[in-house]
């Protein structure tokens, strides 16, 4: 008996030695060829957990092996808006609320979409709001105020970095105050194909825009599976790009529903976003070379899940504000480089992690990080605790 045990141990040791010898060469860490960056507007943990409870379904959020926490404060406010939040997620820079793609001194910043396009990757954006709305705009436009929709539309039309953009908000292109028909200009002079529906897109076309409504897309309950379908369409277009691709996808209307304190709408939107995440995650699992990062720009509504009778049984959604909160949000990651997205991080840290995952140096744009609110807090702390003489 003893001898058998000993030979078993010897066999095991031999097995280990052989395995070690075979793996002697340290393997290069896998690099991400493609990146799918997904932002749930206004979506922190309460929105995701409320959707789990309301639907009783296992969500795609539960399949991510790496999860971290993202501090969302902006350079001007502890509570960020989508413009400053999006700018920080897209670039290395926290900025002032309402600013799009600029640092607090109104100097344009380089976004992860632009940096990866310069490295030869194809690029795309998919949303369910105006394509000129704050979150998508932060990836390609540079304006001091997010409400400058018609200027953002011109910057989108003239953008050299974008291969495809899918969303809504056609009126900022063809019903403009300056009466310019930007759709005509895009098609005749700027190399775009412009569609008003997902149905008849030629996915072999290398530069197209879809604006499937004049305003924002209707609510999830009305627009159906537009977002997951749009992600599929974008992936069909970008798949096989010689140097890979970068795709940003936004679950745009979770924020709208939480501003309105409409829990049924919020659950529909979060579930719709989860289905879009499933399309991305299934693609990444099949390909093996695609990083998927899911996060949010901020929390909206101050949502908590409570039993108003204090009995711990009848859980309902309770909102504490009609606006945003400073609650940190989650980040979920899968694929090459995903292990970087754990622990506590700033929203302005994500671009560098994505560049690292692609095996690329985050050269940056040479602009200093200006974080006024925290610089002020540190100064006040120092002033109240003078160093001993
Ligand atoms: Zn909002």
């Amino acid at each position: 008996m003893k001898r058998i045990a000993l030979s078993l141990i010897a066999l095991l040791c031999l097995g280990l030695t052989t395995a070690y010898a075979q793996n002697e060469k340290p393997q290069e860490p896998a690099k991400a060829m493609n990146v799918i960056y997904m932002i749930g507007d206004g979506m922190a943990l309460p929105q995701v957990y409320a959707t789990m409870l309301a639907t009783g379904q296992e969500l795609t959020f539960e399949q991510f092996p790496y999860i971290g926490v993202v501090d969302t404060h902006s350079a001007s406010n502890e509570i960020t808006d989508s413009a400053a939040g999006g700018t920080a997620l897209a670039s290395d820079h926290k900025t002032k609320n309402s600013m799009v793609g600029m640092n607090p001194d109104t100097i344009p910043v380089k976004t992860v979409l632009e940096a990866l396009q310069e490295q030869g990757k194809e690029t795309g954006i998919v949303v369910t709001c105006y394509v000129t709305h704050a979150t998508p705009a932060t990836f390609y436009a540079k304006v001091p105020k997010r409400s400058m929709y018609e200027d953002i539309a011109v910057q989108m039309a003239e953008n050299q970095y974008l291969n495809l953009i899918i969303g809504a908000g056609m009126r900022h292109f063809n019903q403009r105050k300056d009466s310019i028909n930007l759709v005509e200009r895009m098609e005749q002079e700027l190399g775009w194909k412009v569609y008003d529906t997902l149905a008849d897109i030629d996915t072999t076309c290398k530069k197209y825009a879809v604006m499937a409504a004049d305003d924002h897309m209707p609510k999830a309950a009305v627009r159906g599976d537009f977002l997951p379908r749009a992600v599929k369409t974008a992936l069909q277009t970008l798949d096989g790009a010689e140097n890979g691709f970068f795709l940003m996808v936004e679950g745009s209307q979770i924020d709208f529903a939480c501003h309105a304190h409409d829990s049924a709408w919020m659950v529909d939107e979060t579930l719709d976003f989860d289905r879009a995440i499933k399309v991305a995650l299934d693609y990444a699992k099949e390909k093996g070379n695609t990083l998927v990062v899911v996060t949010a720009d901020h929390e909206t509504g101050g949502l908590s899940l409570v039993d108003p009778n204090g009995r711990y049984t009848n859980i309902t959604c309770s909102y504490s504000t009609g606006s945003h909160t400073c609650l940190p949000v989650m980040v979920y990651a899968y694929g090459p480089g995903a292990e970087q997205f754990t622990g506590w991080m700033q929203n302005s840290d994500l671009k560098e992690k994505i560049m690292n995952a692609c095996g690329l140096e985050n050269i940056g744009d040479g602009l200093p990080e200006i974080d006024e609110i925290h610089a002020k807090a540190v100064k006040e702390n120092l002033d109240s605790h003078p160093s001993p003489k």
Side-chain angles (χ1 to χ4, degrees), residues 41 255 259 298 300 324:
D41 200 309
D255 173 71
H259 277 291
H298 54 76
T300 303
H324 301 176

Side-chain angles (χ1 to χ4, degrees), residues 56-222:
Q57 290 181 20
E58 188 179 319
L59 299 185
T60 315
F61 288 100
E62 297 171 64
Q63 294 179 25
F64 285 87
Y66 297 99
I67 297 180
V69 179
V70 181
D71 183 330
T72 66
H73 76 267
S74 76
S76 58
N77 296 75
E78 196 58 59
I79 300 176
T80 189
D81 75 330
S82 291
T87 300
L89 290 174
S91 74
D92 296 311
H93 300 277
K94 286 184 185 272
T95 192
K96 291 181 182 168
N97 284 6
S98 189
M99 292 175 79
V100 170
M102 291 181 156
N103 83 349
D105 291 333
T106 69
I107 298 170
V109 294
K110 184 177 282 184
T111 71
V112 63
L113 183 148
E114 293 159 342
L116 290 178
Q117 196 274 347
E118 283 175 2
Q119 297 295 326
K121 297 200 187 294
E122 295 188 6
T123 66
I125 290 177
V126 174
V127 299
T128 62
C129 56
Y130 308 145
V131 291
T132 49
H133 210 233
T135 309
T138 56
F139 283 80
Y140 65 81
K142 324 283 173 190
V143 290
K145 279 213 160 59
R146 58 182 288 174
S147 56
M148 297 165 70
Y149 291 119
E150 295 194 353
D151 300 79
I152 294 170
V154 172
Q155 290 190 19
M156 191 199 96
E158 293 176 350
N159 194 284
Q160 304 290 317
Y161 290 91
L162 271 171
N163 290 98
L164 68 93
I165 185 159
I166 303 176
M170 187 74 97
R171 70 183 169 89
H172 298 138
F173 294 78
N174 63 4
Q175 298 160 48
R176 298 167 55 87
K177 288 189 196 89
D178 60 12
S179 344
I180 291 171
N181 189 330
L182 209 46
V183 174
E184 271 179 25
R185 233 195 108 206
M186 284 171 77
E187 298 215 277
Q188 287 164 15
E189 297 169 34
L190 298 166
W192 292 87
K193 271 189 95 69
V194 181
Y195 299 93
D196 59 7
T197 165
L198 264 183
D200 29 61
I201 292 178
D202 171 10
T203 53
T204 60
C205 168
K206 282 297 175 193
K207 197 168 179 74
Y208 65 79
V210 182
M211 287 166 273
D214 277 344
D215 280 288
H216 297 301
M217 290 298 289
K219 293 177 179 187
V222 179

